Amino acid sequence: MKTNFRSATLLWLTCVCITVQAQEHPVATLGSLWQKVEHNYPGLQAQEALVASTASQKQAVKSQALPQLKFQAQNSYGTFEGSNGAFFPQPGFFNVSGNPNLLDGSDQTFNTFGSAVIEWEVFAFGKQVQENKAASAQHNQSIAQKELYVVELKKELALRHIKNLYATANFEWMSKNAARLKNIEGITNSLALSGLKPEADNLLAHASYLQAAGQQKFWTGTKQAAHIAVVELVGESLVPIDSIAVQRFLTHALLQESVLEATESVDHPILQQYKQQASYFEHSSKSIGRASLPSIKLLGGYALRGTGIQAETVSDKWKDGFSNSVDNYLVGIGLTWNFSSLFTNQHKKHARRKQAESAEKKYSTYEQALHANIEASQIQIQEQTQQLVQTHQAVEQATQAYVMYMARYKSGLITLTELLQIQQLLEQAEKTHIEATQHYWLQLVSAATLTANFDFLFTNL
């Protein structure tokens, strides 16, 4: 009971010191790193551009319901074989008319023609409505894809930040271990010089120190590599992680009474993506089916024509091509029906329905998996929290035991081999606590990914 009370008191004092130091020297949290990623990372900007693209496509589909107004103007020079009359040529067709057998003068003349034609599809059995709904679903799907990309990017940032903290914690752990072994080496050297201990103890202590120093170099490189990986996502230089951040990483979970709260999994972007995908295929199928039915359009047009053909003669001068102008107009209603599409569109419609069915089944599959994984993750986090409490107590007790055995070694009551064994037990206890802490935060990242909620991590990591 006294040991547990002493450990809890020491833990409380450690966390208070960390809080005070953090207020004096602000520590970069995962949330602050994410703000920089949002501002700098080009991959996120690419997703935003795709969303803007589908928004423009959605407006383009809606604009198809507006009347289609077409203008054309011509000024041509050529022959005029043909018969008299008025017509409305399509763009790219040129105006040539006249009767050369009754006219004198040139065989070529200038012609001027201009027209405006309006075409308005007033009834298409709901095809336009379904196309608009399909375009809206496609736009919403692109938004869900972007949100899913954001979740994956947050997960990647969290994993790299945890790896950086983990490498730094191991570097500091090995630094403390090397310092302890260096202290042991100094003591054995003094005892060997005074004749109280054999020279072999000094060699053994020095060999243990060299091993720890080599491991320290390894974690130095690992820490620097992890830091570079975080900088790549953030897009700007960062201050290396300090001891305050490491202590927060190792002890923060010990004071948490509750872990990350789960949100409704129905809001997860991957579910929204399949939901909108199914909606798109469903409305697209209906649009294809209704495209097989007739289309009713209102037509209107106005044309102005000038020609160099006079009453009895033909002029080949350019300015005369604007004379003898006449204008015509037309209004009407038309029905267009591609009857063969009744048969061909049935296969396209069936294919889209099957695609919609596939998306709905995927939605149900992922929804069921998310519920199960979230529940399993919550249970695992609770058990890992208890593990952290026990590993922390193990570190505290191993530290106290090491201090006691160090005093016994100085007094000559135990050998160096026994002291090094105690030191290795302390080293292993510290390592186990670091590993358990890493697994705890990684499980929180997994839970945050499943719920698409990184608020807890952004605030506390």
Side-chain angles (χ1 to χ4, degrees), residues 311-332:
E312 296 181 353
T313 62
V314 179
S315 172
D316 59 356
K317 296 181 179 180
W318 180 75
K319 65 181 182 64
D320 291 334
F322 297 94
S323 60
N324 300 320
S325 61
V326 293
D327 58 348
N328 293 277
Y329 70 90
L330 66 84
V331 292

Side-chain angles (χ1 to χ4, degrees), residues 187-199 202:
I187 295 174
T188 56
N189 186 39
S190 300
L191 294 176
L193 291 176
S194 62
L196 298 177
K197 295 290 182 180
E199 183 63 24
N202 188 27

Side-chain angles (χ1 to χ4, degrees), residues 75 101 185-186 213 329:
N75 186 259
N101 298 325
E185 181 186 5
Y329 70 90

Side-chain angles (χ1 to χ4, degrees), residues 109-123:
T109 184
F110 283 95
N111 292 275
T112 302
F113 185 85
S115 68
V117 179
I118 187 171
E119 182 181 1
W120 187 11
E121 188 177 38
V122 294
F123 189 72

